[in-house]
Amino acid sequence: MGMTPSELDSLVDLIVNILKTEHGVRRAITPKSQLCNDLGVCDDDIDDVMLDALRYISRRPLMVGEPGSEDVVFDPQLTVEGLAQFMLEKCPKA
């Protein structure tokens, strides 16, 4: 089950928008921006960004114990695009 490039691009745009509006990130954000290291959005804040974005794309977060849930580790080097890819590949449709 692959994702289309446009799906990924729209999700990256959505995440960028959420970072700017909901999290007050003032810096320039690119798909390769690292959420924690570059933008200062770490840990629980990354969760919040992901949950906000998932609502828009009609997906839900993985529940503890679901296949793939043990892979959910937020690396400080996680990029905007990496988060988008993770969401499209791992998060089930709601």
Side-chain angles (χ1 to χ4, degrees):
M1 182 181 78
M3 63 189 108
T4 65
S6 63
E7 250 187 321
L8 183 61
D9 291 341
S10 346
L11 185 51
V12 164
D13 290 343
L14 175 64
I15 292 170
V16 166
N17 203 13
I18 290 170
L19 287 166
K20 288 183 172 172
T21 57
E22 309 286 317
H23 294 271
V25 175
R26 296 271 169 264
R27 281 169 255 188
I29 305 171
T30 71
K32 300 286 180 224
S33 296
Q34 294 179 2
L35 291 163
C36 190
N37 289 345
D38 295 340
L39 305 175
V41 176
C42 305
D43 306 323
D44 289 349
D45 290 334
I46 294 176
D47 273 349
D48 292 344
V49 170
M50 184 169 85
L51 292 172
D52 287 344
L54 286 172
R55 278 197 285 276
Y56 283 101
I57 61 168
S58 303
R59 289 177 184 255
R60 64 173 179 76
L62 285 169
M63 301 301 163
V64 174
E66 275 189 297
S69 62
E70 63 282 352
D71 303 338
V72 182
V73 175
F74 289 118
D75 175 336
Q77 296 179 325
L78 181 69
T79 61
V80 171
E81 189 176 64
L83 179 62
Q85 270 173 330
F86 172 83
M87 289 165 56
L88 290 172
E89 286 170 7
K90 302 276 192 195
C91 296
K93 293 198 185 292

